[in-house]
Amino acid sequence: MKTSAEREGQEPDIPNDSNINLGIWIFLLTEAMLFGALILCYSVMRILHPAAFNTASHLLDWKAGTLNTAILLFSSFCMAVAVRASGKGKSKGTSVLLLVSASLGILFLAVKGMEYHSEWLKYLFPNDEFTFAGPDSAFVKLFFNAYFILTGLHAIHLTFGILWLSGLGIASWVSPQFHRRYPNAIDCAGLYWHFVDIVWVFLFPLLYLVGGS
Amino acid sequence: MNPSPMQTDYLNIETSLKSWLLTRDHKRIAWLYLGAVLFFFVIGAIAAAMFRIELLTPKGDFFSPDFYNRLFTIHGIVMVWFFLVPVIPATLGNFLLPLMIGSKDLAFPTLNLVSWYVFVVGGLFTIWTVAAGGVDTGWTFYTPFSSVYSNSNTLTAATGIFITGFSSIMTGINFIATIHRMRAPGMSWLRLPVFVWTLYSTSLIFILATPVLSTVLILLFLETQFGMGFFNPVLGGDPLLFQHLFWFYSHPAVYIMVLPAMGIVSEIVPQFARNKIFGYRFIVGATLAIAVIGFLVWGHHMFVSGQSLYSNMIFSFLSFVVGVPSAIKVFNWTATLYRGSISFEAPMIYALGFIFLFTIGGMSGLFLATLSIDVHVHDTYFVVAHFHYIMVGGSILALLGGVHYWFPKVTGRLYPERLAQGSAWLIIAGFNFTFFPQFILGYMGMPRRYQSYPDRFQTLNVLSSAGAFILAVGYLLPFLYLTWSLFKGAKSGPNPWNSDGLEWQTSSPPIKENFAHAVTYGFRYLTEEAKSNGVET
């Protein structure tokens, strides 16, 4: 057993950064509950109106969705490598990888934006001008409510992540001391980035693939 | 304040307004929170006073029915989200948590300050709501009334609650990280004061339940503004879904209000019975059990909403189950009194009052968890009486007990003991006068939320209103004498209760850094064996 003097000598003050790491984990728990509740609402609506949700799901562009899934997964991979690189103190490499991850995020948003645009042109955006010729158009509209809320909230989170990663990428390029001073900064951003990706991994099948072939 | 030149503490180290508004010191942020929640308490209390006056007579004489609706809605919204939910964690919890675990501050001091500002912004929306004429939906915002029919200020009210939710989440993250990472060496999990355990459980509810409320408020907003109907049957939605999601937050929120109160009582009772707390591990286990099971009982608010019979049975069963850990706590407090050397200072009167009233509130909760009885008394004054026994008789009594108990810690001064004992009895008496008649009224069939009622209910309603007046005087007294004591009270010395709690092992009021020397171990709950071995680390 250690004496108190040894303990004091070892940890005069617990460094703040490990606190932040734990804080991010807890924060992600609240985020999971936020998205979880929304996904629950979507699921309830789908159980109430299965046929309409099938039809509506087919109106989405599953190719664009698949492309976006691939983009995000690849960006997650880059992020994971960035965390490793930062742990080894390679600041330039980390910086490049962070900026690549952020750019892939932007690419995702661009594809998503094009999808939104084409849905807008097809009058599928759930405002007063929404039109769907088939049966159950009210329920199809409900699907698009859920679709725009879920993907919209995800896009907001992704935008925040892009800003975060870009900031870190620039900081790590400019200052080689950055990693020593904030050893957990990249880790925390990584946790958040992976979380946002995982949310998409849930959204993609729920929204795009439920209709079956 | 009259500091001697050699003593500086967290209060007199800096005195400018800026040093208060930009402070990162958890002790000062606790004061900021106290100011904010007291302000809202006054708003909620005024609303309550107004409708209690209206209820003196069977006919509606003072206010229009619509205005009456707005009164009880504001009372509910303000008291739940802007008083009861934050009050104990953000004031006493904020102040005491680092002191109790031997830390300099919370894990994220800046986040703590930010959470206060977020709370204030949410509060401003609520003030805006009140100034613009209030809301008439009841604090529960049930759809489709709130989303389709109500033409009052639903959106500003919901926005205020939405924003305040972030402040709860920030506090929750901060407390959990603090308890995990900032404990002094030797302060192991099973040496933590019970109050810290209750703050931990409360924080779990903060972080897991609040986001669901955020979701439901976002969806309510989108439905009202953009016709994105998840809750409107015309648009394909389901109004019951709103109730499920709302109560998924709002039932655990009850435990947010009462768990820290239980923690305070678990500190006060052993102190004034001069006894070790009985069954520490069971109390800790019961605390966590309440937090977990509390998430699974929300459906008991919806027994008559048309949810399936099987749901009703399961929720009824689980509601009985959640009564078990609560009962364990009551038995433990009682057993702590056994063969203790009990004295009846004001905090102890409040704590014993809590045990008594909480037991009544809890037992009546079991009535309500019984399906057949709930069908009879649903939405009557029986329910109103039940949850006021928990929230006022429970939370507010414990809060006042805690405020008196730690007053010397926070201010370094003593409060007038006799006066405090007198007002404690006054509050307990006034409370029972106000709410016990409501049990009878509810059982006789008087529905809640109506401005007028049949003549035969008048006697009990007059009793209730008279009790509310006594209660108001009871609240006013501590406010006055505590304010007086803050400036003029006798010096208390660092540890007037002769407590062995870690928070008392530093000066009162504490210095800015809390402890002058590094703290190395927790004093409480050491086993006798460890004590006899002289274990210090």
Side-chain angles (χ1 to χ4, degrees):
Chain A
M1 220 174 174
K2 290 173 197 162
T3 67
S4 60
E6 275 172 6
R7 285 200 171 176
E8 271 174 48
Q10 271 183 356
E11 0 179 4
D13 208 357
I14 297 165
N16 254 349
D17 296 303
S18 50
N19 290 352
I20 290 174
N21 220 321
L22 178 64
I24 293 285
W25 274 107
I26 306 169
F27 169 70
L28 294 184
L29 217 54
T30 73
E31 291 279 57
M33 291 304 286
L34 181 75
F35 278 101
L38 278 174
I39 290 174
L40 176 95
C41 287
Y42 165 83
S43 310
V44 169
M45 294 305 127
R46 176 159 176 257
I47 290 165
L48 288 176
H49 315 293
F53 271 47
N54 264 359
T55 320
S57 175
H58 279 122
L59 296 174
L60 296 181
D61 183 355
W62 65 269
K63 284 174 191 149
T66 313
L67 176 65
N68 260 346
T69 310
I71 291 173
L72 272 198
L73 287 179
F74 185 56
S75 88
S76 249
F77 170 75
C78 295
M79 187 68 223
V81 181
V83 171
R84 282 298 290 264
S86 123
K88 295 191 169 169
K90 297 180 178 167
S91 61
K92 295 275 151 101
T94 312
S95 172
V96 170
L97 283 160
L98 285 172
L99 293 174
V100 169
S101 301
S103 315
L104 286 167
I106 294 171
L107 187 62
F108 174 95
L109 287 182
V111 175
K112 195 79 228 152
M114 271 146 59
E115 274 184 80
Y116 281 165
H117 183 66
S118 77
E119 281 143 10
W120 174 270
L121 292 180
K122 290 185 211 155
Y123 296 101
L124 290 175
F125 187 78
N127 58 6
D128 292 340
E129 291 174 5
F130 179 88
T131 36
F132 174 69
D136 293 338
S137 92
F139 305 150
V140 172
K141 186 178 172 186
L142 200 58
F143 175 90
F144 278 94
N145 286 339
Y147 166 79
F148 276 97
I149 293 171
L150 281 165
T151 56
L153 193 65
H154 177 260
I156 291 171
H157 278 80
L158 197 68
T159 310
F160 183 74
I162 291 167
L163 294 175
W164 192 354
L165 261 53
S166 316
L168 284 181
I170 293 165
S172 138
W173 184 270
V174 174
S175 149
Q177 296 301 314
F178 184 77
H179 302 275
R180 201 168 321 141
R181 243 184 294 154
Y182 305 101
N184 285 20
I186 314 270
D187 250 19
C188 293
L191 284 174
Y192 177 83
W193 191 254
H194 293 314
F195 174 81
V196 175
D197 287 0
I198 290 168
V199 169
W200 179 257
V201 168
F202 278 88
L203 293 186
F204 172 60
L206 276 175
L207 294 168
Y208 288 79
L209 305 181
V210 287
S213 56
Chain B
M1 288 261 128
N2 182 19
S4 59
M6 56 215 193
Q7 275 185 322
T8 56
D9 55 54
Y10 80 97
L11 287 168
N12 63 18
I13 189 166
E14 287 170 293
T15 49
S16 65
L17 185 65
K18 190 181 151 201
S19 77
W20 277 91
L21 290 179
L22 294 180
T23 183
R24 295 161 80 237
D25 183 350
H26 66 103
K27 302 185 282 301
R28 287 189 164 204
I29 295 170
W31 276 100
L32 294 178
Y33 262 113
L34 182 69
V37 296
L38 274 183
F39 173 79
F40 285 107
F41 177 77
V42 171
I43 294 184
I46 290 173
M50 284 165 82
F51 62 65
R52 269 330 311 174
I53 290 172
E54 169 66 65
L55 288 169
L56 277 169
T57 57
K59 293 198 168 42
D61 350 59
F62 295 107
F63 312 120
S64 67
D66 179 55
F67 190 74
Y68 181 84
N69 291 348
R70 289 165 195 245
L71 280 178
F72 70 68
T73 303
I74 277 300
H75 173 72
I77 291 176
V78 165
M79 286 302 200
V80 169
W81 280 293
F82 294 92
F83 180 70
L84 283 165
V85 163
V87 68
I88 299 180
T91 61
L92 283 175
N94 222 336
F95 194 98
L96 292 168
L97 174 56
L99 287 164
M100 283 182 157
I101 63 173
S103 155
K104 262 201 268 187
D105 206 317
L106 293 174
F108 311 116
T110 312
L111 187 71
N112 198 13
L113 180 65
V114 171
S115 85
W116 182 73
Y117 278 101
V118 171
F119 179 76
V120 168
V121 171
L124 289 175
F125 273 92
T126 306
I127 296 172
W128 177 7
T129 310
V130 175
V135 206
D136 63 351
T137 58
W139 75 282
T140 47
F141 294 105
Y142 271 14
T143 53
F145 181 64
S146 59
S147 55
V148 181
Y149 300 105
S150 170
N151 54 4
S152 58
N153 304 286
T154 323
L155 283 184
T156 51
T159 311
I161 295 164
F162 177 75
I163 294 172
T164 307
F166 287 100
S167 131
S168 298
I169 292 174
M170 289 175 193
T171 304
I173 293 177
N174 217 339
F175 280 11
I176 292 179
T178 305
I179 296 170
H180 272 276
R181 310 245 7 133
M182 307 288 280
R183 285 172 289 130
M187 179 57 88
S188 59
W189 283 96
L190 286 177
R191 287 179 191 167
L192 288 176
V194 176
F195 185 52
V196 173
W197 273 109
T198 56
L199 288 176
Y200 188 79
S201 310
T202 305
S203 305
L204 284 179
I205 303 175
F206 270 148
I207 61 159
L208 294 177
T210 316
V212 178
L213 181 73
S214 310
T215 304
V216 79
L217 291 173
I218 293 173
L219 292 180
L220 187 66
F221 176 83
L222 292 173
E223 174 163 337
T224 318
Q225 290 306 99
F226 303 107
M228 295 188 166
F230 282 91
F231 308 130
N232 187 347
V234 176
L235 304 171
D238 180 3
L240 273 196
L241 182 61
F242 176 88
Q243 297 186 20
H244 278 294
L245 290 172
F246 180 83
W247 289 115
F248 184 85
Y249 166 82
S250 292
H251 192 78
V254 173
Y255 299 108
I256 292 177
M257 302 173 207
V258 86
L259 277 173
M262 291 169 157
I264 291 174
V265 171
S266 308
E267 298 297 318
I268 294 176
V269 168
Q271 179 64 40
F272 293 93
R274 277 110 194 142
N275 225 345
K276 226 177 105 194
I277 191 151
F278 182 85
Y280 169 79
R281 281 165 192 249
F282 271 86
I283 292 203
V284 170
T287 303
L288 293 170
I290 291 174
V292 173
I293 305 170
F295 271 104
L296 308 174
V297 301
W298 77 89
H300 67 212
H301 295 268
M302 302 164 58
F303 282 160
V304 298
S305 68
Q307 70 179 352
S308 85
L309 183 60
Y310 298 104
S311 303
N312 280 353
M313 282 158 63
I314 288 165
F315 281 122
S316 170
F317 172 74
L318 287 167
S319 307
F320 278 99
V321 170
V322 82
V324 175
S326 312
I328 288 176
K329 288 180 161 235
V330 171
F331 286 123
N332 277 313
W333 294 321
T334 322
T336 307
L337 296 172
Y338 178 63
R339 301 183 79 172
S341 165
I342 302 171
S343 60
F344 292 93
E345 282 90 348
M348 189 60 163
I349 298 175
Y350 282 116
L352 294 176
F354 170 96
I355 298 174
F356 178 62
L357 299 176
F358 174 77
T359 306
I360 297 179
M363 293 299 279
S364 57
L366 294 181
F367 289 27
L368 291 167
T370 313
L371 286 172
S372 52
I373 298 181
D374 185 71
V375 171
H376 176 62
V377 293
H378 187 88
D379 262 349
T380 68
Y381 268 83
F382 192 90
V383 178
V384 177
H386 154 69
F387 70 73
H388 281 87
Y389 264 77
I390 300 285
M391 291 178 187
V392 184
S395 300
I396 295 188
L397 250 59
L399 168 73
L400 285 166
V403 165
H404 284 83
Y405 178 52
W406 283 295
F407 189 78
K409 180 80 252 166
V410 175
T411 64
R413 297 189 183 251
L414 296 172
Y415 60 84
E417 185 60 50
R418 286 269 163 194
L419 195 54
Q421 288 169 343
S423 22
W425 285 115
L426 196 65
I427 288 176
I428 293 172
F431 170 79
N432 279 299
F433 262 113
T434 312
F435 292 104
F436 199 81
Q438 298 185 1
F439 275 126
I440 307 170
L441 280 172
Y443 196 74
M444 287 161 69
M446 179 169 166
R448 63 194 284 202
R449 295 179 168 171
Y450 280 83
Q451 171 211 33
S452 55
Y453 53 85
D455 291 341
R456 66 177 187 281
F457 293 141
Q458 190 174 11
T459 316
L460 287 166
N461 267 306
V462 170
L463 257 183
S464 181
S465 292
F469 179 74
I470 301 175
L471 193 55
V473 176
Y475 286 148
L476 207 57
L477 279 173
F479 181 74
L480 295 177
Y481 67 72
L482 288 179
T483 312
W484 178 85
S485 311
L486 176 62
F487 298 102
K488 303 276 182 189
K491 295 276 185 188
S492 64
N495 191 358
W497 306 115
N498 200 17
S499 164
D500 58 359
L502 187 51
E503 77 271 25
W504 295 102
Q505 312 305 321
T506 178
S507 53
S508 300
I511 54 173
K512 193 177 181 212
E513 298 79 17
N514 288 348
F515 296 95
H517 307 286
V519 184
T520 49
Y521 93 111
F523 292 80
R524 295 177 119 183
Y525 311 121
L526 282 179
T527 60
E528 287 306 313
E529 190 191 1
K531 267 187 191 159
S532 63
N533 291 339
V535 173
E536 291 277 321
T537 53

